[in-house]
Amino acid sequence: MNKNIILTDQEIKHKIKRIAYQIYETFVDEEEVILAGIAKNGYVFAEKIAQELQSISPLKVSLCEVQINKQKPEMPIHTSLPKEQYANKGLILVDDVLNSGTTLIYAVRHFLDVPLKKFKTAVLVDRNHKKYPVKADFKGISLSTSILEHVQVVFDENGDSYAYLS
């Protein structure tokens, strides 16, 4: 398999910093925001954004892990925080790659059961192959690829990150 690197570790760090500033600008009038990361990589990406947000802003940042069956997204979705903890707050749904939009749209639907002050989405890579009318409010990179190509984001245990196209 041929790996074509589309984002290096340094580029991902820059994207995270930029997204954190955009989130802060959008939620500047809030005291707290919830970063709801779609397991597994979306949650890791949310953790990295949370770390950056806490270093640049006074916002209280809470993390929520979203468990969704990506093969059967219509199955019940589970979150690490109860609905009462994110009700009436600003929430950002975070994933690593936005492909067809299926995962994101089903996750959005889950959060629509709860009243939120503001609801936004963030992704590292937006593939531009949407099957559903969902968009990323904050995105690291927009990438037009063929449907046969695959984008993978790697968050290494030792802290290195990269994204590649195969």
Side-chain angles (χ1 to χ4, degrees):
M1 184 194 316
N2 189 14
K3 287 185 187 179
N4 181 9
I5 302 292
I6 54 174
L7 288 172
T8 65
D9 184 59
Q10 193 60 46
E11 290 168 328
I12 289 174
K13 286 177 179 154
H14 286 298
K15 305 287 184 203
I16 289 167
K17 186 180 285 257
R18 184 172 50 78
I19 289 170
Y21 273 105
Q22 289 174 324
I23 289 170
Y24 180 41
E25 288 169 4
T26 303
F27 291 88
V28 72
D29 53 345
E30 300 297 325
E31 290 178 24
E32 179 181 5
V33 293
I34 310 295
L35 290 179
I38 296 174
K40 177 164 172 95
N41 269 0
Y43 185 72
V44 174
F45 186 43
E47 287 177 316
K48 291 177 181 295
I49 294 170
Q51 203 172 14
E52 190 64 39
L53 252 178
Q54 289 171 325
S55 74
I56 64 167
S57 79
L59 286 172
K60 177 181 186 244
V61 180
S62 298
L63 284 163
C64 174
E65 187 169 19
V66 180
Q67 297 282 341
I68 184 168
N69 181 333
K70 292 186 180 191
Q71 278 67 49
K72 295 181 183 174
E74 67 282 354
M75 299 290 290
I77 292 172
H78 303 285
T79 57
S80 62
L81 292 179
K83 291 180 179 186
E84 303 77 49
Q85 285 191 0
Y86 51 81
N88 299 308
K89 295 187 176 144
L91 186 137
I92 301 102
L93 182 61
V94 181
D95 205 0
D96 59 341
V97 180
L98 173 52
N99 282 311
S100 68
T102 304
T103 303
L104 216 55
I105 201 90
Y106 277 92
V108 164
R109 188 181 77 176
H110 171 80
F111 286 103
L112 291 178
D113 290 340
V114 180
L116 298 169
K117 276 189 176 177
K118 235 182 243 178
F119 188 11
K120 300 289 182 184
T121 55
V123 297
L124 180 60
V125 181
D126 183 352
R127 289 274 312 275
N128 301 326
H129 283 297
K130 289 171 207 60
K131 185 163 97 174
Y132 294 98
V134 64
K135 73 176 182 76
D137 296 296
F138 312 111
K139 57 186 159 199
I141 186 174
S142 242
L143 194 64
S144 293
T145 59
S146 86
I147 207 81
L148 300 173
E149 293 174 303
H150 182 73
V151 173
Q152 183 69 43
V153 177
V154 176
F155 292 114
D156 204 300
E157 298 86 38
N158 62 12
D160 282 345
S161 307
Y162 60 95
Y164 66 91
L165 186 66
S166 58

